[in-house]
Protein backbone atom coordinates (compact mmCIF):
# COMPACT_ATOMS: atom_id res chain seq x y z
CA UNK A 1 0.00 0.00 0.00
CA UNK A 2 2.87 2.35 0.89
CA UNK A 3 4.46 1.59 -2.46
CA UNK A 4 1.20 2.32 -4.27
CA UNK A 5 0.85 5.62 -2.43
CA UNK A 6 4.40 6.55 -3.32
CA UNK A 7 3.78 5.68 -6.93
CA UNK A 8 0.62 7.73 -7.10
CA UNK A 9 0.84 10.76 -9.29
CA UNK A 10 2.54 13.87 -8.01
CA UNK A 11 2.81 16.00 -11.11
CA UNK A 12 4.86 18.74 -9.52
CA UNK A 13 7.41 16.36 -8.07
CA UNK A 14 7.60 14.31 -11.25
CA UNK A 15 8.19 17.33 -13.43
CA UNK A 16 11.31 18.46 -11.60
CA UNK A 17 13.31 15.71 -13.31
CA UNK A 18 13.53 16.33 -17.04
CA UNK A 19 12.38 13.54 -19.31
CA UNK A 20 15.37 11.48 -20.29
CA UNK A 21 15.77 9.28 -23.32
CA UNK A 22 18.15 6.42 -23.04
CA UNK A 23 17.80 5.64 -19.32
CA UNK A 24 14.04 5.34 -19.81
CA UNK A 25 14.44 2.99 -22.75
CA UNK A 26 17.18 1.04 -20.97
CA UNK A 27 15.07 0.52 -17.85
CA UNK A 28 11.98 -0.46 -19.80
CA UNK A 29 13.89 -2.84 -22.06
CA UNK A 30 15.76 -4.42 -19.13
CA UNK A 31 12.57 -4.95 -17.18
CA UNK A 32 10.81 -6.40 -20.22
CA UNK A 33 13.65 -8.78 -21.06
CA UNK A 34 14.04 -9.93 -17.48
CA UNK A 35 10.31 -10.43 -17.04
CA UNK A 36 10.22 -12.48 -20.25
CA UNK A 37 12.99 -14.74 -18.89
CA UNK A 38 11.34 -14.86 -15.46
CA UNK A 39 8.14 -16.21 -17.01
CA UNK A 40 10.11 -19.16 -18.40
CA UNK A 41 11.92 -19.67 -15.11
CA UNK A 42 8.60 -19.77 -13.26
CA UNK A 43 7.17 -22.14 -15.88
CA UNK A 44 10.22 -24.38 -15.53
CA UNK A 45 9.86 -24.39 -11.78
CA UNK A 46 6.16 -25.21 -11.87
CA UNK A 47 6.63 -27.92 -14.54
CA UNK A 48 9.41 -29.51 -12.50
CA UNK A 49 7.20 -29.46 -9.44
CA UNK A 50 4.41 -31.18 -11.34
CA UNK A 51 6.85 -33.76 -12.67
CA UNK A 52 8.23 -34.50 -9.21
CA UNK A 53 4.73 -34.82 -7.78
CA UNK A 54 3.66 -37.12 -10.59
CA UNK A 55 6.64 -39.42 -10.18
CA UNK A 56 6.27 -39.37 -6.46
CA UNK A 57 2.57 -40.21 -6.39
CA UNK A 58 2.47 -42.70 -9.26
CA UNK A 59 5.42 -44.74 -8.09
CA UNK A 60 5.25 -44.43 -4.36
CA UNK A 61 2.18 -46.68 -3.95
CA UNK A 62 3.41 -49.60 -6.01
CA UNK A 63 6.15 -52.20 -5.90
CA UNK A 64 7.12 -55.24 -7.93
CA UNK A 65 8.35 -58.71 -6.99
CA UNK A 66 10.44 -60.45 -9.62
CA UNK A 67 10.55 -64.24 -9.38
CA UNK A 68 13.43 -65.98 -11.15
CA UNK A 69 13.26 -69.74 -10.75
CA UNK A 70 13.56 -72.93 -12.81
CA UNK A 71 10.37 -73.61 -14.78
CA UNK A 72 9.32 -76.51 -12.56
CA UNK A 73 9.57 -74.34 -9.42
CA UNK A 74 8.01 -71.19 -10.84
CA UNK A 75 4.41 -71.98 -9.93
CA UNK A 76 5.28 -73.07 -6.41
CA UNK A 77 7.39 -69.98 -5.71
CA UNK A 78 4.73 -67.74 -7.15
CA UNK A 79 2.13 -69.28 -4.85
CA UNK A 80 4.50 -68.90 -1.92
CA UNK A 81 5.05 -65.24 -2.73
CA UNK A 82 1.31 -64.57 -2.96
CA UNK A 83 0.80 -66.38 0.35
CA UNK A 84 3.43 -64.21 2.00
CA UNK A 85 1.87 -61.06 0.54
CA UNK A 86 -1.61 -62.01 1.78
CA UNK A 87 -0.31 -61.97 5.32
CA UNK A 88 1.90 -58.88 4.98
CA UNK A 89 0.48 -55.78 6.68
CA UNK A 90 0.41 -52.76 4.37
CA UNK A 91 -0.19 -54.70 1.16
CA UNK A 92 -3.58 -53.74 -0.27
CA UNK A 93 -3.48 -56.11 -3.21
CA UNK A 94 -1.12 -58.28 -5.22
CA UNK A 95 -1.50 -59.86 -8.60
CA UNK A 96 0.60 -61.82 -11.00
CA UNK A 97 1.15 -60.14 -14.33
CA UNK A 98 0.05 -62.38 -17.20
CA UNK A 99 1.99 -63.03 -20.40
CA UNK A 100 0.11 -60.35 -22.34
CA UNK A 101 1.09 -57.68 -19.84
CA UNK A 102 4.71 -58.80 -19.84
CA UNK A 103 4.69 -58.79 -23.62
CA UNK A 104 3.34 -55.22 -23.58
CA UNK A 105 6.14 -54.18 -21.24
CA UNK A 106 8.79 -55.66 -23.48
CA UNK A 107 7.24 -54.59 -26.75
CA UNK A 108 9.03 -51.23 -27.01
CA UNK A 109 12.37 -53.08 -26.99
CA UNK A 110 11.67 -56.39 -28.75
CA UNK A 111 8.62 -55.73 -30.93
CA UNK A 112 5.09 -57.22 -30.81
CA UNK A 113 5.92 -60.79 -31.76
CA UNK A 114 8.06 -61.76 -28.80
CA UNK A 115 7.39 -65.38 -27.77
CA UNK A 116 7.17 -64.65 -24.07
CA UNK A 117 6.08 -68.16 -23.18
CA UNK A 118 9.21 -69.64 -24.81
CA UNK A 119 11.63 -67.39 -22.96
CA UNK A 120 12.93 -67.97 -19.47
CA UNK A 121 11.49 -64.66 -18.25
CA UNK A 122 10.99 -64.00 -14.57
CA UNK A 123 7.44 -63.84 -13.29
CA UNK A 124 6.34 -60.39 -12.10
CA UNK A 125 3.98 -59.72 -9.20
CA UNK A 126 2.57 -56.22 -8.89
CA UNK A 127 1.92 -55.01 -5.35
CA UNK A 128 -0.30 -52.09 -4.41
CA UNK A 129 0.29 -50.63 -0.97
CA UNK A 130 -2.33 -49.29 1.33
CA UNK A 131 -1.94 -45.85 2.90
CA UNK A 132 0.20 -47.21 5.75
CA UNK A 133 2.66 -48.95 3.42
CA UNK A 134 4.58 -52.16 4.12
CA UNK A 135 7.90 -52.91 5.76
CA UNK A 136 10.15 -53.57 2.75
CA UNK A 137 13.06 -54.97 4.82
CA UNK A 138 10.79 -57.39 6.69
CA UNK A 139 9.11 -58.53 3.45
CA UNK A 140 12.48 -59.21 1.84
CA UNK A 141 13.50 -61.40 4.76
CA UNK A 142 10.26 -63.39 4.59
CA UNK A 143 10.55 -63.78 0.81
CA UNK A 144 14.10 -65.04 1.17
CA UNK A 145 12.81 -67.79 3.44
CA UNK A 146 9.66 -68.75 1.51
CA UNK A 147 10.64 -68.08 -2.12
CA UNK A 148 14.41 -67.81 -2.68
CA UNK A 149 13.98 -66.70 -6.29
CA UNK A 150 11.83 -63.66 -5.41
CA UNK A 151 13.34 -60.18 -5.40
CA UNK A 152 11.38 -57.17 -4.12
CA UNK A 153 11.75 -53.95 -6.09
CA UNK A 154 9.97 -51.09 -4.28
CA UNK A 155 11.11 -48.58 -6.97
CA UNK A 156 13.03 -46.57 -4.36
CA UNK A 157 16.33 -47.14 -6.10
CA UNK A 158 15.35 -45.27 -9.26
CA UNK A 159 12.35 -43.25 -8.02
CA UNK A 160 14.31 -41.22 -5.47
CA UNK A 161 16.99 -39.91 -7.90
CA UNK A 162 14.24 -38.94 -10.36
CA UNK A 163 12.24 -37.08 -7.74
CA UNK A 164 15.42 -35.47 -6.42
CA UNK A 165 16.32 -34.38 -9.96
CA UNK A 166 12.88 -32.87 -10.47
CA UNK A 167 13.08 -31.12 -7.11
CA UNK A 168 16.48 -29.71 -8.02
CA UNK A 169 15.10 -28.53 -11.33
CA UNK A 170 12.34 -26.76 -9.44
CA UNK A 171 14.91 -25.12 -7.16
CA UNK A 172 16.92 -24.18 -10.23
CA UNK A 173 13.87 -22.40 -11.62
CA UNK A 174 13.35 -20.50 -8.40
CA UNK A 175 17.05 -19.65 -8.24
CA UNK A 176 16.84 -18.36 -11.79
CA UNK A 177 13.98 -16.08 -10.74
CA UNK A 178 16.12 -14.73 -7.88
CA UNK A 179 19.13 -14.26 -10.17
CA UNK A 180 16.91 -12.44 -12.67
CA UNK A 181 15.62 -10.20 -9.88
CA UNK A 182 19.19 -9.47 -8.80
CA UNK A 183 20.31 -8.74 -12.35
CA UNK A 184 17.29 -6.47 -12.81
CA UNK A 185 18.19 -4.60 -9.63
CA UNK A 186 21.79 -4.23 -10.79
CA UNK A 187 20.83 -2.92 -14.22
CA UNK A 188 18.24 -0.52 -12.85
CA UNK A 189 20.78 0.70 -10.31
CA UNK A 190 23.19 1.44 -13.15
CA UNK A 191 20.48 3.25 -15.10
CA UNK A 192 19.43 5.20 -12.00
CA UNK A 193 23.03 6.17 -11.29
CA UNK A 194 23.40 7.37 -14.87
CA UNK A 195 20.21 9.37 -14.57
CA UNK A 196 21.27 10.86 -11.23
CA UNK A 197 24.64 11.82 -12.67
CA UNK A 198 23.02 13.35 -15.74
CA UNK A 199 20.71 15.36 -13.49
CA UNK A 200 23.34 16.62 -11.06
CA UNK A 201 22.36 20.19 -11.89
CA UNK A 202 18.70 19.46 -11.13
CA UNK A 203 19.65 17.96 -7.78
CA UNK A 204 21.83 20.98 -6.94
CA UNK A 205 18.98 23.38 -7.70
CA UNK A 206 16.51 21.35 -5.68
CA UNK A 207 18.85 21.24 -2.68
CA UNK A 208 19.42 24.97 -3.06
CA UNK A 209 15.73 25.76 -2.74
CA UNK A 210 15.24 23.52 0.27
CA UNK A 211 14.19 20.14 -1.14
CA UNK A 212 14.67 17.26 1.25
CA UNK A 213 16.37 14.08 0.07
CA UNK A 214 13.10 12.17 0.17
CA UNK A 215 11.50 14.65 -2.25
CA UNK A 216 14.41 14.42 -4.70
CA UNK A 217 14.71 10.65 -4.42
CA UNK A 218 10.95 10.22 -4.89
CA UNK A 219 11.04 12.02 -8.22
CA UNK A 220 13.60 9.51 -9.54
CA UNK A 221 12.13 6.49 -7.78
CA UNK A 222 8.65 7.08 -9.21
CA UNK A 223 9.98 7.39 -12.70
CA UNK A 224 12.11 4.24 -12.60
CA UNK A 225 9.48 2.20 -10.79
CA UNK A 226 6.84 3.07 -13.38
CA UNK A 227 9.19 2.29 -16.24
CA UNK A 228 10.10 -1.05 -14.69
CA UNK A 229 6.43 -1.86 -14.08
CA UNK A 230 5.47 -1.04 -17.65
CA UNK A 231 8.45 -2.90 -19.13
CA UNK A 232 7.89 -5.95 -16.94
CA UNK A 233 4.19 -6.01 -17.82
CA UNK A 234 5.07 -6.07 -21.51
CA UNK A 235 7.76 -8.72 -21.01
CA UNK A 236 5.44 -10.88 -18.91
CA UNK A 237 2.67 -10.65 -21.50
CA UNK A 238 5.11 -11.68 -24.22
CA UNK A 239 6.45 -14.54 -22.10
CA UNK A 240 2.97 -15.83 -21.27
CA UNK A 241 2.01 -15.67 -24.93
CA UNK A 242 5.12 -17.63 -25.87
CA UNK A 243 4.32 -20.26 -23.25
CA UNK A 244 0.73 -20.48 -24.44
CA UNK A 245 1.94 -21.09 -27.98
CA UNK A 246 4.17 -24.04 -26.97
CA UNK A 247 2.92 -27.43 -28.24
CA UNK A 248 0.56 -29.31 -25.92
CA UNK A 249 2.00 -32.19 -23.91
CA UNK A 250 0.81 -35.56 -25.20
CA UNK A 251 0.79 -38.90 -23.44
CA UNK A 252 4.34 -39.65 -24.44
CA UNK A 253 5.23 -36.00 -24.21
CA UNK A 254 8.77 -35.09 -23.56
CA UNK A 255 9.56 -32.88 -20.61
CA UNK A 256 9.84 -29.67 -22.60
CA UNK A 257 6.36 -29.96 -24.05
CA UNK A 258 5.11 -29.92 -20.47
CA UNK A 259 6.69 -26.49 -19.91
CA UNK A 260 3.45 -24.62 -19.48
CA UNK A 261 1.12 -23.25 -16.86
CA UNK A 262 -1.93 -25.19 -15.72
CA UNK A 263 -5.07 -23.70 -14.18
CA UNK A 264 -4.27 -21.33 -11.35
CA UNK A 265 -0.60 -21.60 -12.34
CA UNK A 266 -1.32 -18.94 -14.96
CA UNK A 267 -1.66 -16.47 -12.07
CA UNK A 268 1.96 -16.93 -10.99
CA UNK A 269 3.56 -14.93 -13.84
CA UNK A 270 1.20 -12.07 -13.05
CA UNK A 271 3.22 -11.49 -9.89
CA UNK A 272 6.31 -10.65 -11.98
CA UNK A 273 5.44 -7.01 -12.91
CA UNK A 274 4.70 -5.93 -9.32
CA UNK A 275 7.83 -7.74 -8.14
CA UNK A 276 9.86 -5.94 -10.82
CA UNK A 277 8.37 -2.66 -9.62
CA UNK A 278 9.37 -3.46 -6.04
CA UNK A 279 12.90 -4.33 -7.17
CA UNK A 280 13.12 -1.09 -9.18
CA UNK A 281 11.72 0.91 -6.27
CA UNK A 282 14.29 -0.48 -3.83
CA UNK A 283 17.22 -0.24 -6.27
CA UNK A 284 16.50 3.34 -7.34
CA UNK A 285 15.80 4.50 -3.80
CA UNK A 286 19.08 3.03 -2.56
CA UNK A 287 20.99 4.57 -5.49
CA UNK A 288 19.35 7.98 -5.04
CA UNK A 289 20.06 8.19 -1.33
CA UNK A 290 23.62 7.01 -1.85
CA UNK A 291 24.22 9.82 -4.36
CA UNK A 292 22.40 12.42 -2.27
CA UNK A 293 24.34 11.56 0.86
CA UNK A 294 27.48 12.52 -1.05
CA UNK A 295 26.15 16.06 -1.42
CA UNK A 296 26.04 18.73 1.27
CA UNK B 1 19.67 34.44 12.51
CA UNK B 2 22.96 33.26 11.04
CA UNK B 3 26.04 33.37 13.18
CA UNK B 4 29.56 32.35 12.24
CA UNK B 5 31.74 31.52 15.24
CA UNK B 6 35.49 31.35 14.67
CA UNK B 7 34.92 29.80 11.26
CA UNK B 8 37.84 28.69 9.16
CA UNK B 9 37.62 27.19 5.73
CA UNK B 10 39.87 26.49 2.82
CA UNK B 11 40.41 24.18 -0.10
CA UNK B 12 43.34 21.81 -0.20
CA UNK B 13 46.41 23.78 0.78
CA UNK B 14 45.49 26.50 3.23
CA UNK B 15 42.65 28.45 4.75
CA UNK B 16 40.76 30.98 2.66
CA UNK B 17 39.90 32.62 5.93
CA UNK B 18 40.41 31.76 9.56
CA UNK B 19 38.70 32.60 12.83
CA UNK B 20 35.87 34.54 11.21
CA UNK B 21 33.08 35.52 13.55
CA UNK B 22 30.02 37.38 12.32
CA UNK B 23 26.35 37.67 13.14
CA UNK B 24 23.73 38.39 10.48
CA UNK B 25 21.06 39.88 12.70
CA UNK B 26 17.42 40.43 11.69
CA UNK B 27 16.89 43.37 9.36
CA UNK B 28 20.60 43.91 8.73
CA UNK B 29 21.95 44.81 5.28
CA UNK B 30 25.46 43.65 4.48
CA UNK B 31 27.70 43.86 1.50
CA UNK B 32 30.53 41.37 1.22
CA UNK B 33 33.34 42.51 -0.98
CA UNK B 34 36.85 41.52 -1.85
CA UNK B 35 38.98 40.55 -4.82
CA UNK B 36 38.05 37.66 -7.05
CA UNK B 37 38.96 34.34 -5.46
CA UNK B 38 39.03 35.86 -1.98
CA UNK B 39 36.25 33.53 -0.83
CA UNK B 40 33.00 35.50 -1.16
CA UNK B 41 31.08 32.59 -2.64
CA UNK B 42 32.60 30.21 -0.09
CA UNK B 43 31.52 32.56 2.69
CA UNK B 44 27.93 32.55 1.39
CA UNK B 45 27.93 28.77 1.04
CA UNK B 46 28.97 28.48 4.67
CA UNK B 47 26.05 30.75 5.59
CA UNK B 48 23.47 28.48 3.97
CA UNK B 49 25.10 25.20 4.88
CA UNK B 50 26.38 24.07 1.51
CA UNK B 51 29.86 23.85 2.99
CA UNK B 52 30.90 22.64 6.42
CA UNK B 53 33.61 24.82 7.98
CA UNK B 54 37.01 23.23 8.55
CA UNK B 55 36.98 24.68 12.05
CA UNK B 56 34.51 26.64 14.10
CA UNK B 57 30.75 26.46 13.62
CA UNK B 58 27.90 28.14 11.84
CA UNK B 59 24.68 28.68 13.72
CA UNK B 60 21.66 28.81 11.43
CA UNK B 61 18.38 29.89 13.02
CA UNK B 62 19.56 28.66 16.40
CA UNK B 63 20.96 25.31 15.27
CA UNK B 64 24.58 24.32 14.96
CA UNK B 65 25.41 23.35 11.38
CA UNK B 66 27.57 20.55 12.74
CA UNK B 67 24.58 19.00 14.46
CA UNK B 68 22.03 19.60 11.72
CA UNK B 69 20.82 16.64 9.71
CA UNK B 70 20.44 16.89 5.94
CA UNK B 71 16.72 17.42 6.43
CA UNK B 72 17.40 20.18 8.99
CA UNK B 73 19.62 21.95 6.46
CA UNK B 74 16.94 21.62 3.77
CA UNK B 75 14.32 23.07 6.10
CA UNK B 76 16.67 25.95 7.07
CA UNK B 77 17.22 26.75 3.40
CA UNK B 78 13.48 27.30 3.01
CA UNK B 79 13.97 30.32 5.26
CA UNK B 80 16.94 31.56 3.22
CA UNK B 81 16.49 33.02 -0.24
CA UNK B 82 19.60 32.36 -2.31
CA UNK B 83 20.46 34.20 -5.50
CA UNK B 84 23.27 32.12 -6.91
CA UNK B 85 26.02 33.63 -9.01
CA UNK B 86 25.16 31.51 -12.03
CA UNK B 87 21.38 31.58 -11.41
CA UNK B 88 20.84 27.84 -11.43
CA UNK B 89 17.45 26.87 -12.86
CA UNK B 90 15.67 23.77 -14.03
CA UNK B 91 16.00 24.51 -17.72
CA UNK B 92 13.11 22.26 -18.77
CA UNK B 93 10.56 24.13 -16.65
CA UNK B 94 9.12 27.55 -17.50
CA UNK B 95 10.11 30.60 -15.50
CA UNK B 96 6.88 30.61 -13.50
CA UNK B 97 7.44 27.03 -12.30
CA UNK B 98 11.08 27.75 -11.52
CA UNK B 99 10.05 30.73 -9.44
CA UNK B 100 7.47 28.60 -7.58
CA UNK B 101 9.96 25.75 -7.05
CA UNK B 102 10.77 26.57 -3.38
CA UNK B 103 7.06 26.25 -2.62
CA UNK B 104 6.69 23.04 -4.62
CA UNK B 105 9.51 21.28 -2.79
CA UNK B 106 7.90 22.30 0.50
CA UNK B 107 4.59 20.79 -0.65
CA UNK B 108 2.90 24.18 -0.78
CA UNK B 109 1.21 26.21 -3.46
CA UNK B 110 1.46 29.97 -4.05
CA UNK B 111 -2.09 30.24 -2.65
CA UNK B 112 -0.95 28.62 0.60
CA UNK B 113 1.43 31.49 1.29
CA UNK B 114 -0.67 34.22 -0.29
CA UNK B 115 1.76 34.62 -3.16
CA UNK B 116 0.77 35.50 -6.68
CA UNK B 117 3.34 34.29 -9.19
CA UNK B 118 2.10 36.68 -11.86
CA UNK B 119 2.31 39.61 -9.51
CA UNK B 120 5.76 38.61 -8.32
CA UNK B 121 7.02 38.22 -11.88
CA UNK B 122 5.55 41.62 -12.73
CA UNK B 123 7.33 43.08 -9.69
CA UNK B 124 10.68 41.88 -11.04
CA UNK B 125 9.71 42.87 -14.57
CA UNK B 126 9.27 39.38 -15.98
CA UNK B 127 5.51 39.22 -16.50
CA UNK B 128 5.99 38.59 -20.21
CA UNK B 129 8.51 35.80 -19.64
CA UNK B 130 6.39 33.64 -17.30
CA UNK B 131 6.05 30.85 -19.83
CA UNK B 132 9.55 31.16 -21.23
CA UNK B 133 12.22 28.57 -20.53
CA UNK B 134 15.27 29.81 -18.59
CA UNK B 135 17.78 29.28 -21.44
CA UNK B 136 15.86 31.84 -23.49
CA UNK B 137 16.28 34.58 -20.86
CA UNK B 138 18.94 37.26 -20.96
CA UNK B 139 21.48 37.53 -18.14
CA UNK B 140 19.54 40.28 -16.44
CA UNK B 141 16.26 38.42 -16.73
CA UNK B 142 17.84 35.35 -15.19
CA UNK B 143 19.13 37.43 -12.27
CA UNK B 144 15.66 38.84 -11.66
CA UNK B 145 14.02 35.42 -11.99
CA UNK B 146 16.51 34.11 -9.45
CA UNK B 147 15.59 36.94 -7.11
CA UNK B 148 11.88 36.20 -7.53
CA UNK B 149 12.54 32.55 -6.72
CA UNK B 150 14.59 33.55 -3.70
CA UNK B 151 11.86 35.67 -2.15
CA UNK B 152 8.71 33.70 -3.00
CA UNK B 153 8.70 31.95 0.36
CA UNK B 154 9.12 35.29 2.16
CA UNK B 155 12.45 34.13 3.61
CA UNK B 156 14.03 35.68 6.66
CA UNK B 157 17.42 36.02 5.00
CA UNK B 158 18.43 36.77 1.42
CA UNK B 159 21.92 35.82 0.30
CA UNK B 160 22.88 37.08 -3.15
CA UNK B 161 26.13 36.18 -4.88
CA UNK B 162 27.13 38.81 -7.46
CA UNK B 163 23.48 39.43 -8.33
CA UNK B 164 24.35 42.28 -10.68
CA UNK B 165 27.27 40.54 -12.34
CA UNK B 166 25.46 40.18 -15.66
CA UNK B 167 23.47 43.40 -15.53
CA UNK B 168 23.93 46.86 -16.97
CA UNK B 169 23.91 49.75 -14.57
CA UNK B 170 20.24 50.55 -15.00
CA UNK B 171 19.21 46.97 -14.35
CA UNK B 172 21.62 46.74 -11.41
CA UNK B 173 19.94 49.71 -9.81
CA UNK B 174 16.55 48.14 -10.36
CA UNK B 175 17.65 44.91 -8.67
CA UNK B 176 19.23 46.85 -5.83
CA UNK B 177 15.97 48.72 -5.34
CA UNK B 178 14.17 45.39 -4.99
CA UNK B 179 16.65 44.18 -2.37
CA UNK B 180 16.44 47.47 -0.46
CA UNK B 181 12.66 47.19 -0.50
CA UNK B 182 12.87 43.68 0.94
CA UNK B 183 15.28 44.88 3.62
CA UNK B 184 12.82 47.55 4.59
CA UNK B 185 10.26 44.78 5.03
CA UNK B 186 12.57 43.38 7.70
CA UNK B 187 14.53 40.84 5.68
CA UNK B 188 18.22 40.34 6.35
CA UNK B 189 20.21 40.88 3.17
CA UNK B 190 23.79 39.90 2.38
CA UNK B 191 25.10 40.71 -1.07
CA UNK B 192 28.48 39.51 -2.25
CA UNK B 193 29.76 41.93 -4.89
CA UNK B 194 32.83 43.74 -6.06
CA UNK B 195 30.75 46.55 -7.56
CA UNK B 196 31.76 49.51 -5.36
CA UNK B 197 29.41 51.90 -7.17
CA UNK B 198 26.51 49.66 -6.28
CA UNK B 199 27.60 49.63 -2.65
CA UNK B 200 27.82 53.44 -2.53
CA UNK B 201 24.38 53.74 -4.09
CA UNK B 202 22.92 51.32 -1.58
CA UNK B 203 24.53 53.06 1.38
CA UNK B 204 22.72 56.20 0.34
CA UNK B 205 19.42 54.36 0.78
CA UNK B 206 19.93 51.96 3.70
CA UNK B 207 22.36 51.72 6.61
CA UNK B 208 24.32 48.97 4.90
CA UNK B 209 27.51 47.65 6.41
CA UNK B 210 30.37 46.51 4.23
CA UNK B 211 32.47 43.44 4.98
CA UNK B 212 35.73 42.96 3.20
CA UNK B 213 37.44 39.62 2.78
CA UNK B 214 41.14 40.18 2.79
CA UNK B 215 44.18 38.29 3.97
CA UNK B 216 42.14 35.48 5.41
CA UNK B 217 39.95 37.75 7.48
CA UNK B 218 36.50 39.24 7.12
CA UNK B 219 36.47 42.76 8.47
CA UNK B 220 34.12 45.68 8.51
CA UNK B 221 35.33 48.06 5.84
CA UNK B 222 35.84 51.76 6.45
CA UNK B 223 33.37 54.47 5.56
CA UNK B 224 35.35 55.57 2.53
CA UNK B 225 33.57 53.25 0.10
Amino acid sequence: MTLLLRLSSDTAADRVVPPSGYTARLTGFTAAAMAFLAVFAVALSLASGRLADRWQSSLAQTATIRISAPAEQMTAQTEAVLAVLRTTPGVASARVMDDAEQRALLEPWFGPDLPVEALPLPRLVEITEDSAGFDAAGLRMRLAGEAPGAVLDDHTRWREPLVAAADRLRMLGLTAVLVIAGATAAMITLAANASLAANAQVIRVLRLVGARDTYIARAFVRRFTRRALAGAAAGTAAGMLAIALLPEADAAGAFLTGLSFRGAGWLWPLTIPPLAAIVAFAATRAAAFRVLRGLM
Amino acid sequence: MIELAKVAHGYGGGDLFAEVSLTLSPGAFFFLTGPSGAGKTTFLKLCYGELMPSRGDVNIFGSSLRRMSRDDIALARRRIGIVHQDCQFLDHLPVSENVALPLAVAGRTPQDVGADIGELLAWVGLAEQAAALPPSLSGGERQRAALARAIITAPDVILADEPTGNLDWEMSLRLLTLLVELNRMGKTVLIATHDLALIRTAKAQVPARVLRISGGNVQLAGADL
Side-chain angles (χ1 to χ4, degrees):
Chain A
M1 180 57 82
T2 307
L3 180 63
L4 287 177
L5 286 174
R6 289 181 180 184
L7 286 177
S8 61
S9 182
D10 181 345
T11 310
D14 291 347
R15 281 172 54 80
V16 298
V17 181
S20 53
Y22 84 96
T23 54
R25 287 193 293 275
L26 180 65
T27 308
F29 175 75
T30 299
M34 290 300 173
F36 186 80
L37 295 177
V39 169
F40 282 91
V42 170
L44 170 72
S45 191
L46 292 178
S48 308
R50 283 197 302 271
L51 199 63
D53 291 344
R54 196 161 66 238
W55 284 341
Q56 185 86 12
S57 61
S58 63
L59 297 174
Q61 299 296 312
T62 60
T64 309
I65 290 177
R66 189 176 68 251
I67 305 166
S68 301
E72 63 277 14
Q73 294 179 20
M74 184 63 86
T75 305
Q77 289 210 24
T78 303
E79 288 302 322
V81 166
L82 291 173
V84 168
L85 291 174
R86 275 194 292 274
T87 57
T88 301
V91 173
S93 64
R95 67 180 186 87
V96 181
M97 294 178 76
D98 58 27
D99 288 347
E101 285 178 286
Q102 291 201 229
R103 186 181 290 111
L105 285 174
L106 296 171
E107 190 179 308
W109 286 274
F110 297 105
D113 302 323
L114 184 71
V116 172
E117 55 284 347
L119 293 174
L121 290 176
R123 178 72 66 199
L124 298 178
V125 177
E126 186 186 72
I127 303 172
T128 304
E129 298 177 37
D130 62 17
S131 56
F134 60 80
D135 172 17
L139 180 58
R140 280 196 183 93
M141 287 178 69
R142 291 180 65 201
L143 288 172
E146 304 290 333
V151 176
L152 173 65
D153 179 3
D154 61 0
H155 304 162
T156 305
R157 188 162 47 89
W158 63 278
R159 185 186 71 209
E160 286 184 347
L162 282 178
V163 172
D167 279 339
R168 283 185 189 171
L169 211 52
R170 174 161 48 183
M171 289 307 298
L172 197 65
L174 293 174
T175 306
V177 171
L178 291 178
V179 170
I180 287 168
T184 305
M187 289 192 199
I188 289 178
T189 298
L190 288 175
N193 279 337
S195 179
L196 287 159
N199 288 294
Q201 165 76 359
V202 170
I203 294 171
R204 265 197 302 276
V205 172
L206 291 173
R207 287 288 298 169
L208 194 70
V209 298
R212 297 160 79 171
D213 286 351
T214 47
Y215 180 92
I216 301 170
R218 203 180 301 145
F220 287 91
V221 167
R222 270 206 192 93
R223 183 162 295 188
F224 277 86
T225 304
R226 284 180 186 162
R227 286 172 190 162
L229 184 63
T236 300
M240 289 174 74
L241 182 66
I243 292 280
L245 294 177
L246 281 177
E248 279 293 316
D250 54 25
F255 169 72
L256 280 177
T257 58
L259 190 67
S260 66
F261 299 108
R262 303 271 165 78
W266 282 100
L267 296 176
W268 276 107
L270 299 181
T271 61
I272 292 171
L275 284 175
I278 290 170
V279 167
F281 176 86
T284 313
R285 188 176 160 83
F289 277 103
R290 192 169 51 248
V291 169
L292 290 168
R293 272 195 298 273
L295 305 171
M296 188 61 186
Chain B
M1 291 231 164
I2 297 176
E3 186 179 352
L4 287 80
K6 296 184 176 178
V7 164
H9 194 76
Y11 299 98
D15 288 341
L16 263 177
F17 33 77
E19 300 280 316
V20 171
S21 295
L22 177 74
T23 300
L24 299 180
S25 47
F29 198 121
F30 284 99
F31 280 102
L32 179 65
T33 187
S36 293
K40 296 191 291 293
T41 299
T42 298
F43 187 88
L44 290 186
K45 285 182 175 178
L46 287 165
C47 288
Y48 64 83
E50 188 168 333
L51 290 175
M52 186 66 74
S54 310
R55 295 187 299 280
D57 199 3
V58 179
N59 205 290
I60 304 176
F61 302 120
S63 300
S64 160
L65 181 59
R66 293 195 179 280
R67 294 197 196 96
M68 291 170 83
S69 67
R70 293 176 54 77
D71 277 356
D72 291 337
I73 293 172
L75 294 176
R77 284 184 191 165
R78 294 178 187 177
R79 298 176 62 187
I80 302 172
I82 302 160
V83 182
H84 214 271
Q85 190 172 11
D86 53 7
C87 303
Q88 296 169 345
F89 293 107
L90 302 185
D91 289 343
H92 64 289
L93 294 183
V95 169
S96 58
E97 285 190 50
N98 266 286
V99 167
L101 197 58
L103 293 174
V105 301
R108 295 189 292 173
T109 64
Q111 292 74 30
D112 292 339
V113 294
D116 182 325
I117 299 288
E119 200 174 292
L120 180 60
L121 287 175
W123 190 60
V124 296
L126 291 175
E128 300 293 318
Q129 285 79 12
L133 293 177
S136 69
L137 299 181
S138 69
E141 288 169 338
R142 288 171 69 86
Q143 297 279 16
R144 282 180 281 147
L147 180 65
R149 185 181 65 187
I151 65 175
I152 192 162
T153 55
D156 299 311
V157 179
I158 296 160
L159 304 175
D161 191 3
E162 300 283 4
T164 60
N166 296 322
L167 305 182
D168 58 27
W169 178 242
E170 187 185 341
M171 196 56 73
S172 297
L173 284 180
R174 188 167 173 180
L175 195 71
L176 178 66
T177 304
L178 294 177
L179 290 167
V180 167
E181 243 182 273
L182 290 167
N183 178 247
R184 285 178 179 148
M185 293 176 192
K187 311 297 181 192
T188 302
V189 178
L190 171 60
I191 303 172
T193 183
H194 58 262
D195 186 343
L196 298 184
L198 186 78
I199 297 173
R200 289 194 192 97
T201 306
K203 282 171 73 76
Q205 300 174 46
V206 288
R209 279 174 284 178
V210 181
L211 304 167
R212 183 195 295 276
I213 298 183
S214 174
N217 285 309
V218 178
Q219 299 168 323
L220 274 173
D224 56 334
L225 285 166

